[in-house]
């Protein structure tokens, strides 16, 4: 399985996906990551916080960015080098998170692409950032 090559990329090219941060996903993320913060898992505790209820792990949304980059744009064969993240709003249990990754810059000499990354719920950004990706060359 091979994703796109550096030569296939263009500025403005994008890929997207939508995933639901449902109960099962949040539980599995807590188990895999070891982040069992009660803000994510305990409704009684979370109700006493500024969020007034449980929220999904912020890094779960970041994982959706990784999924788009690793499977679609540029896809298999690409290597994550760095990622900035700015958490804008909480993701609540059951929210559909729409992730869009858009090529912002291409460095042909270093075989790297800079990608704008945005996760949103109901049209409002919940996470924004920028990824730097090492992209394989053709041949």
């Amino acid at each position: 399985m091979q994703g796109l090559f550096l030569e296939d990329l263009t500025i403005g090219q994008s890929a997207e996906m939508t995933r639901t941060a449902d109960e099962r996903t949040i539980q599995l993320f807590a188990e895999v990551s070891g982040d069992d913060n009660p803000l994510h898992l305990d409704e009684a505790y979370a109700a006493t916080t500024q969020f007034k209820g449980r929220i999904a792990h912020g890094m779960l949304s970041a994982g959706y960015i990784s999924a788009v980059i690793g499977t679609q744009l540029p896809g298999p064969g690409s290597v994550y080098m760095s990622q900035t993240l700015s958490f804008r709003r909480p993701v609540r249990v059951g929210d559909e998170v729409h992730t869009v990754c858009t090529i912002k810059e291409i460095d042909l000499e270093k075989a790297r692409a800079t990608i704008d990354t945005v996760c949103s719920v109901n049209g409002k950004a919940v996470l924004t950032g920028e990824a730097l990706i090492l992209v394989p060359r053709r041949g």
Side-chain angles (χ1 to χ4, degrees), residues 74-112:
S78 61
V79 178
Y80 234 125
M81 296 182 70
S82 67
Q83 173 78 54
T84 62
L85 299 171
S86 180
F87 299 96
R88 307 274 184 195
R89 290 180 176 80
V91 173
R92 305 227 173 245
V93 179
D95 280 350
E96 283 193 349
V97 180
H98 184 71
T99 303
V100 179
C101 296
T102 305
I103 303 290
K104 178 180 176 180
E105 296 174 16
I106 300 169
D107 184 335
L108 294 173
E109 185 178 316
K110 294 183 179 179
R112 296 177 182 173

Side-chain angles (χ1 to χ4, degrees), residues 6-138:
L6 184 69
E7 297 82 2
D8 299 325
L9 302 182
T10 58
I11 304 295
Q13 187 175 6
S14 66
E16 59 190 84
M17 67 180 283
T18 301
R19 300 290 294 249
T20 302
D22 59 19
E23 180 65 38
R24 179 176 181 271
T25 302
I26 292 168
Q27 290 289 337
L28 288 171
F29 189 87
E31 288 178 32
V32 169
S33 68
D35 181 354
D36 61 0
N37 183 333
L39 180 59
H40 309 303
L41 304 174
D42 182 335
E43 187 60 44
Y45 171 84
T48 68
T49 71
Q50 66 185 3
F51 300 107
K52 306 296 183 210
R54 290 174 52 215
I55 61 172
H57 303 75
M59 294 307 289
L60 176 59
S61 293
Y64 297 149
I65 294 169
S66 179
V68 172
I69 289 171
T71 66
Q72 296 180 52
L73 185 67
S78 61
V79 178
Y80 234 125
M81 296 182 70
S82 67
Q83 173 78 54
T84 62
L85 299 171
S86 180
F87 299 96
R88 307 274 184 195
R89 290 180 176 80
V91 173
R92 305 227 173 245
V93 179
D95 280 350
E96 283 193 349
V97 180
H98 184 71
T99 303
V100 179
C101 296
T102 305
I103 303 290
K104 178 180 176 180
E105 296 174 16
I106 300 169
D107 184 335
L108 294 173
E109 185 178 316
K110 294 183 179 179
R112 296 177 182 173
T114 303
I115 300 177
D116 279 330
T117 57
V118 179
C119 295
S120 59
V121 172
N122 297 322
K124 295 182 179 179
V126 295
L127 185 157
T128 59
E130 186 177 277
L132 181 63
I133 309 298
L134 181 62
V135 184
R137 294 179 191 272
R138 190 176 307 285

